[in-house]
Amino acid sequence: MAKTSGSQFYSIDFHVHTPASNDYKDKDALASDIVQKAIDSKLDAIVITDHNTFAWVEKMREAARDTSIIIFPGFEINSNGGHVLGVFDPSAKIDDVETALIRCGIDKKDYGVETALGYPIEEVFSVIADSGGIAIAAHVDKEKGFLRTIDQGVATIQ
């Protein structure tokens, strides 16, 4: 990639699910289908953030190999306090992503289980950052976002 001066803007979807997430509607979708949809949408990159798993990251990397799409590995964790996206460098090793997920409180037996609950949100933010990732509060004002998760002891907005 040529170096340029000034700002560079990219079109990125930071919250992409695959059939590894229970709420993904088309269970027959292929990784190549998701990559093609990203290309058709004129995206430069997508972040794979399935619920409590990283299972499809390598499939997505392979499907995007000879395309213009950059794949960022990650996960969406159901923390005690709301959903959090863990986003890692495209060159991150899958073992490092897995280690971060485990350190956030998701046991291997709970990979992909949407109802599995990780550690408190503040700890999850710290673990992701300490693991070289970026933590993003997901859909903060939605039902499972941290601004609305009153049942987990977090203040809510009205």
Side-chain angles (χ1 to χ4, degrees):
M1 182 179 290
K3 289 190 174 193
T4 61
S5 61
S7 298
Q8 180 70 37
F9 294 93
Y10 296 94
S11 181
I12 302 172
D13 188 335
F14 279 88
H15 197 155
V16 174
H17 290 301
T18 73
S21 286
N22 288 334
D23 60 353
Y24 195 81
K25 292 183 176 114
D26 183 4
K27 292 295 185 186
D28 294 326
L30 303 172
S32 58
D33 298 331
I34 299 168
V35 168
Q36 188 59 53
K37 180 67 173 174
I39 292 168
D40 294 346
S41 299
K42 300 189 180 344
L43 294 172
D44 297 303
I46 57 177
V47 184
I48 307 306
T49 54
D50 286 310
H51 294 285
N52 295 328
T53 188
F54 52 89
W56 268 53
V57 168
E58 292 301 330
K59 288 180 188 181
M60 295 301 299
R61 283 177 165 169
E62 181 60 32
R65 184 176 314 268
D66 294 323
T67 73
S68 60
I69 296 296
I70 297 168
I71 302 296
F72 285 81
F75 49 76
E76 178 177 7
I77 183 169
N78 184 17
S79 76
N80 186 349
H83 288 195
V84 177
L85 305 179
V87 180
F88 298 86
D89 187 273
S91 65
K93 295 177 183 170
I94 202 66
D95 290 345
D96 294 336
V97 176
E98 179 178 23
T99 298
L101 184 61
I102 292 169
R103 288 184 56 220
C104 286
I106 301 299
D107 293 327
K108 288 184 179 190
K109 68 177 176 47
D110 291 325
Y111 286 176
V113 178
E114 188 173 348
T115 57
L117 187 62
Y119 294 137
I121 196 166
E122 298 88 354
E123 187 172 345
V124 168
F125 285 159
S126 293
V127 165
I128 292 170
D130 291 346
S131 300
I134 298 171
I136 301 171
H139 40 77
V140 297
D141 61 342
K142 302 291 186 202
E143 178 186 348
K144 294 179 182 174
F146 80 94
L147 293 178
R148 302 255 182 201
T149 52
I150 191 167
D151 61 323
Q152 294 176 353
V154 178
T156 185
I157 60 172
Q158 299 298 334

